[in-house]
Amino acid sequence: MLSSRHIAALACAALLVLAVIYHTNSLVAKSSYGNIALLRNVPQLSYAANPFEEAQYNEQSKKETPESLLFESRSTQSRLTDNSAASAALSSTRPAGTTAATAVDTQDSHAAQSKAEQPLQPLQTQQQLQAQPAQEQAALSSQSPSPPAAKKDMTVGTGASIGQCPPGRKPYHVVMTAASGTYQEWQSRIAYYHYQKQKRLNPCSELGSFTRLFNTPGARPDSLMDEIPTLLVKQLGHGRCNECDHGFIVMNRPWGAVQLVESSYFDEKIAEEYILVMETDHMIMRPPPNDATEEKPVGFGFYYMISTDKKLEPVVRKFLNPEIDITTVDNVGPSPLLIHKPLLRKLARPWWELSLKMKGDSAANQVFGWVLEMWGYNLAARNLGIRHTVSKDIQVEPQGTGTDDMETKYIYHYTFGLVVPDKRGKTWRIDKRQYYGYYPADNLGMPPTCSARSGFIITSLFNEASQHIEGWQTQRGGREGRSMRGRNDLASNPAASDSPLYDLSKLPLEQPGLGELLRGTGPWNWGSLDSLYLFARGVAYASFGTNQGAMGRWSVAAGSTDQLDLELCDKSYRLTFADPTAPWAFSSLNIDTQAKGHGVLPDVTQHLQTMLPPPAANLRLAHFGSGLATGGNASFAEELAGSGPWSWAGNSPLAFLRGGVLLTPWGRGNWGVTRRQGAETAASTEVFADFAGSEHTVRLLDSMCLRLQSSRKSDGDRVGIEFLGTQTVDSVGVCETARDLL
């Protein structure tokens, strides 16, 4: 029998071995998506593209040649080869007696599938140069965090020692539904990498252990069994039997869930009391908090899962218990989903059976389409009396050109592709469907300058994972691409010449006197034209309704104190103001000295000697590039004053006019630095913008890209605002209209 001294010695030796293993395997990169600068917000597309793992992929996407995919590499197009050497090495790290179909705590096996040679550099931010010197890159690489001390007395699924983390946490087990094939394989590896990274970086989070719920024909294993903790379940057969997919491969998701909850694995191997259901195209950017309760799961609010939609409602009612109010159906699906284990056990088979029933119904099959299985879960849950906490932040699904609304999100779901044009007329694209039969390159190029933040995040997350996963099946053939962003210093930043701030800096400043008094005025009534605006930095704009306008330029005439030169739609005009100290009316001539009518500024609110009325009358006038964000001393309001046109979530024109007048596509509003007779005062980095019965706070996101963000006071809803003043927004039709009016 061992003495207490022997036991203590053995315990110390065990801890030493764990520490050595931990140190050897540790290579967590410090990089976090949250370090990326806020770049650009473009409105999301309104169409409801397939939100699912497709079984029948877009044929055109399959047929695209490598040459047609800008910035993408397909240098290695071979399918996955046997990785027996890597598998053998990985197997050696598994605890004795652990089988391939067992979920294990990943704390000590994190780096088993990672490249240990070099830690990944942190994601570059807006303040970093596009092309950093080698010494800067080396300095960034050195910032990877040191591995924590070897674990001891680990609680199941917590990743931290007992007593080190605050009480009250509810660890959840991550279950990732997956299918066979190269397409799902590389996605699974990326998803697992980011799970491991976040678990390591956040040891006191509620991330628990991990299981890949692997639907495969005959429950056959694959080459990832020693890399990712896996439970094998049988894939549905083809056809229309009770255990067939009915031509809809996504039916394997509820079928896999049934096999999971009815297996001994569910009770014996999953120690956590909660489950996070995710998919292979999910990347965890930070651990989601477990806001689920024993009675109420947490699901993501899908915009295409609205039960009262006119097209959906008749079919929803068909499968909803008649005594249930249809407005109480939550717009959630089965993934991502945080749910109590007993509740998932209760739901799995009704979810499967209702999905099967819907698949046999022609109306449901046609109306629900690719989201039929989501409705199977949704309505099965509601019929059982289950309501959800609907979260808008548990995941984000960027599409189109992307979104800046990323800072509060937990999971990146790349079900939609991103397509971003650049100034050269080329197109940058990233879409999982580009890599249907092979792995993506491990150095995909970054999006164009001032693209939406989501494009930089997905590319960085892809590159980070692929550069650290052992045996990634693609050589380095991708385009190196550009970095996130450069410094706001226009003189030292080679990326800046491609930015709106650089273009704006080339426009002339307003002259003191007449120029500053005219900054941010409009609409001017001029002849038959009643929509002329004179914005900061000499930007002229003639508006002809939402998203339609002609851009021009204006400046005080050389050597004059009462005349202004205006260029609009390739025509030149000279405007003369009778009183340059109160320039609210003018006469005009064209370049041929022909009289072109009188102009007047009818809005007396703007007839001020200062930009804003009291108590903000002492507001100075500045320009973008001279503010606090770029090392200057001007407030955001001083930079923003009189500027335009902007677009608000893709709708224009928006402008911050003289007298605190806010021009919006939805009518007139107010902007400024105070609200409610001075009861509220904006910070120096913010302004208030109120219209249509809502109050908003606007702040600068990216000075180089001239990107703003508005936050609505009532609910925190965020909207991107983009500067249009350096763009060419005229169309032939718009300018022809302007010429006719002038």
Side-chain angles (χ1 to χ4, degrees):
M1 185 173 182
L2 294 177
S3 67
S4 59
R5 180 178 299 177
H6 285 99
I7 293 173
L10 289 172
C12 290
L15 285 174
L16 179 62
V17 171
L18 283 173
V20 171
I21 294 173
Y22 196 105
H23 179 76
T24 304
N25 287 341
S26 177
L27 58 80
V28 177
K30 183 180 181 180
S31 61
S32 167
Y33 90 97
N35 291 333
I36 301 176
L38 296 174
L39 297 172
R40 188 178 186 187
N41 184 289
V42 182
Q44 302 298 291
L45 300 183
S46 59
Y47 66 85
N50 173 16
F52 252 119
E53 280 307 325
E54 300 81 347
Q56 301 170 351
Y57 300 98
N58 184 296
E59 290 302 316
Q60 186 60 37
S61 296
K62 290 186 187 180
K63 295 175 183 177
E64 285 183 352
T65 62
E67 292 75 21
S68 70
L69 302 176
L70 185 67
F71 300 166
E72 303 294 348
S73 167
R74 295 189 175 185
S75 58
T76 303
Q77 300 190 19
S78 60
R79 293 184 177 270
L80 182 67
T81 57
D82 179 53
N83 201 10
S84 56
S87 297
L90 290 167
S91 297
S92 66
T93 69
R94 299 171 61 86
T98 300
T99 65
T102 301
V104 295
D105 187 346
T106 61
Q107 189 74 10
D108 287 330
S109 61
H110 166 71
Q113 51 41 288
S114 299
K115 300 177 183 178
E117 295 87 353
Q118 200 63 257
L120 185 76
Q121 300 162 6
L123 304 185
Q124 293 167 307
T125 71
Q126 180 177 6
Q127 308 305 320
Q128 295 172 301
L129 286 177
Q130 184 169 350
Q132 291 179 317
Q135 60 269 28
E136 289 181 334
Q137 299 282 9
L140 288 175
S141 296
S142 69
Q143 295 176 7
S144 294
S146 300
K151 66 174 183 176
K152 51 186 176 180
D153 298 327
M154 300 297 291
T155 56
V156 175
T158 63
S161 298
I162 294 177
Q164 292 182 349
C165 296
R169 294 175 305 123
K170 299 183 294 184
Y172 51 81
H173 191 97
V174 179
V175 174
M176 179 182 71
T177 59
S180 58
T182 302
Y183 180 69
Q184 289 260 308
E185 181 178 284
W186 65 257
Q187 293 178 47
S188 298
R189 300 181 80 185
I190 288 177
Y192 186 55
Y193 170 86
H194 286 292
Y195 153 80
Q196 289 180 301
K197 172 186 171 181
Q198 292 304 321
K199 183 174 171 64
R200 182 66 57 84
L201 291 180
N202 300 278
C204 286
S205 76
E206 293 168 305
L207 273 177
S209 299
F210 188 100
T211 296
R212 177 180 61 144
L213 184 60
F214 188 38
N215 285 268
T216 180
R220 292 193 300 269
D222 67 352
S223 62
L224 300 185
M225 297 298 296
D226 290 323
E227 179 176 332
I228 305 176
T230 295
L231 172 65
L232 295 171
V233 292
K234 291 182 180 180
Q235 182 174 305
L236 290 167
H238 298 302
R240 300 194 174 277
C241 65
N242 286 338
E243 293 189 3
C244 293
D245 60 16
H246 293 252
F248 186 47
I249 197 170
V250 189
M251 293 288 283
N252 280 287
R253 186 169 297 149
W255 177 239
V258 168
Q259 295 177 78
L260 168 67
V261 302
E262 295 181 358
S263 69
S264 60
Y265 183 99
F266 192 67
D267 294 318
E268 298 171 6
K269 302 298 183 181
I270 297 180
E272 297 88 347
E273 287 299 313
Y274 289 85
I275 303 290
L276 170 64
V277 182
M278 61 177 281
E279 301 170 29
T280 57
D281 60 353
H282 286 175
M283 295 183 289
I284 300 176
M285 299 182 291
R286 55 197 184 109
N290 187 2
D291 294 326
T293 68
E294 294 182 1
E295 299 81 21
K296 198 171 187 180
V298 175
F300 176 68
F302 293 94
Y303 68 87
Y304 43 79
M305 295 287 293
I306 307 300
S307 60
T308 54
D309 178 270
K310 292 182 179 179
K311 181 180 178 182
L312 300 173
E313 182 175 350
V315 186
V316 171
R317 289 189 181 278
K318 188 173 184 178
F319 295 94
L320 183 67
N321 289 346
E323 67 275 10
I324 296 176
D325 183 352
I326 194 171
T327 63
T328 65
V329 176
D330 303 316
N331 60 319
V332 300
S335 175
L337 179 74
L338 274 163
I339 188 169
H340 195 227
K341 272 182 69 178
L343 210 55
L344 181 61
R345 188 196 308 274
K346 179 180 179 180
L347 251 171
R349 187 160 285 278
W351 170 22
W352 157 249
E353 291 174 349
L354 188 57
S355 298
L356 196 63
K357 184 178 179 181
M358 287 179 174
K359 195 60 189 172
D361 184 271
S362 59
N365 201 36
Q366 180 179 2
V367 172
F368 290 157
W370 281 101
V371 296
L372 181 145
E373 167 266 347
M374 294 175 69
W375 279 110
Y377 168 84
N378 184 305
L379 297 180
R382 191 67 193 94
N383 286 340
L384 289 171
I386 298 170
R387 295 295 306 274
H388 297 75
T389 296
V390 180
S391 170
K392 64 179 182 180
D393 288 332
I394 192 172
Q395 76 167 8
V396 61
E397 296 182 321
Q399 57 181 290
T401 52
T403 179
D404 276 343
D405 189 13
M406 300 290 293
E407 60 191 289
T408 62
K409 311 304 181 184
Y410 294 95
I411 295 172
Y412 193 123
H413 185 198
Y414 54 95
T415 188
F416 304 110
L418 301 179
V419 180
V420 183
D422 65 13
K423 287 188 174 182
R424 299 168 297 173
K426 296 183 179 180
T427 299
W428 176 90
R429 177 186 177 193
I430 190 167
D431 191 326
K432 65 181 182 180
R433 297 159 191 82
Q434 295 171 253
Y435 309 105
Y436 175 67
Y438 46 89
Y439 281 40
D442 62 0
N443 61 332
L444 302 175
M446 291 293 171
T449 300
C450 294
S451 299
R453 190 182 183 204
S454 56
F456 293 96
I457 291 174
I458 184 176
T459 308
S460 298
L461 294 177
F462 268 40
N463 286 345
E464 177 184 342
S466 59
Q467 289 170 20
H468 287 83
I469 295 174
E470 186 67 36
W472 192 256
Q473 297 298 311
T474 303
Q475 298 174 357
R476 291 185 63 85
R479 182 185 176 102
E480 289 296 338
R482 65 198 81 197
S483 69
M484 295 301 127
R485 176 58 77 261
R487 296 183 181 131
N488 288 320
D489 179 0
L490 296 176
S492 64
N493 181 11
S497 61
D498 195 27
S499 71
L501 181 60
Y502 176 80
D503 293 338
L504 187 65
S505 71
K506 294 186 294 183
L507 300 179
L509 301 174
E510 304 88 32
Q511 297 299 313
L514 180 63
E516 291 186 348
L517 287 173
L518 292 176
R519 170 175 168 171
T521 55
W524 289 84
N525 293 342
W526 179 25
S528 299
L529 182 67
D530 61 3
S531 58
L532 176 66
Y533 294 88
L534 303 177
F535 296 131
R537 211 75 192 225
V539 175
Y541 185 78
S543 176
F544 297 95
T546 302
N547 299 328
Q548 293 190 20
M551 201 76 75
R553 298 289 180 256
W554 68 274
S555 62
V556 175
S560 174
T561 60
D562 63 352
Q563 291 185 323
L564 179 142
D565 289 331
L566 172 67
E567 294 182 2
L568 186 66
C569 289
D570 300 322
K571 297 292 184 180
S572 298
Y573 305 92
R574 173 66 59 87
L575 312 184
T576 302
F577 295 83
D579 184 356
T581 63
W584 319 129
F586 63 81
S587 60
S588 64
L589 301 172
N590 65 12
I591 196 170
D592 299 321
T593 68
Q594 295 175 327
K596 297 303 293 183
H598 293 274
V600 63
L601 181 65
D603 184 4
V604 296
T605 307
Q606 300 179 43
H607 295 184
L608 295 176
Q609 295 297 308
T610 57
M611 177 60 67
L612 293 178
N618 61 347
L619 187 80
R620 301 172 301 167
L621 294 182
H623 292 89
F624 283 103
S626 63
L628 300 173
T630 52
N633 58 9
S635 69
F636 177 49
E638 291 167 340
E639 292 183 285
L640 188 65
S643 65
W646 301 81
S647 70
W648 180 290
N651 299 290
S652 64
L654 175 77
F656 299 84
L657 301 176
R658 198 172 197 83
V661 175
L662 183 68
L663 170 69
T664 83
W666 305 278
R668 177 178 171 134
N670 302 291
W671 77 276
V673 295
T674 61
R675 182 187 281 152
R676 294 190 177 88
Q677 290 76 46
E680 291 184 60
T681 301
S684 60
T685 55
E686 300 173 339
V687 301
F688 296 137
D690 304 335
F691 64 94
S694 295
E695 297 179 338
H696 308 81
T697 299
V698 177
R699 63 187 178 96
L700 180 65
L701 291 185
D702 189 322
S703 59
M704 187 189 307
C705 297
L706 296 180
R707 300 297 305 148
L708 316 179
Q709 187 180 70
S710 167
S711 176
R712 189 162 54 200
K713 185 177 181 179
S714 61
D715 58 6
D717 184 59
R718 292 175 298 274
V719 171
I721 302 173
E722 177 184 5
F723 187 64
L724 304 178
T726 58
Q727 300 182 14
T728 302
V729 296
D730 344 332
S731 66
V732 174
V734 169
C735 277
E736 287 299 328
T737 300
R739 291 190 189 100
D740 291 342
L741 293 173
L742 295 173

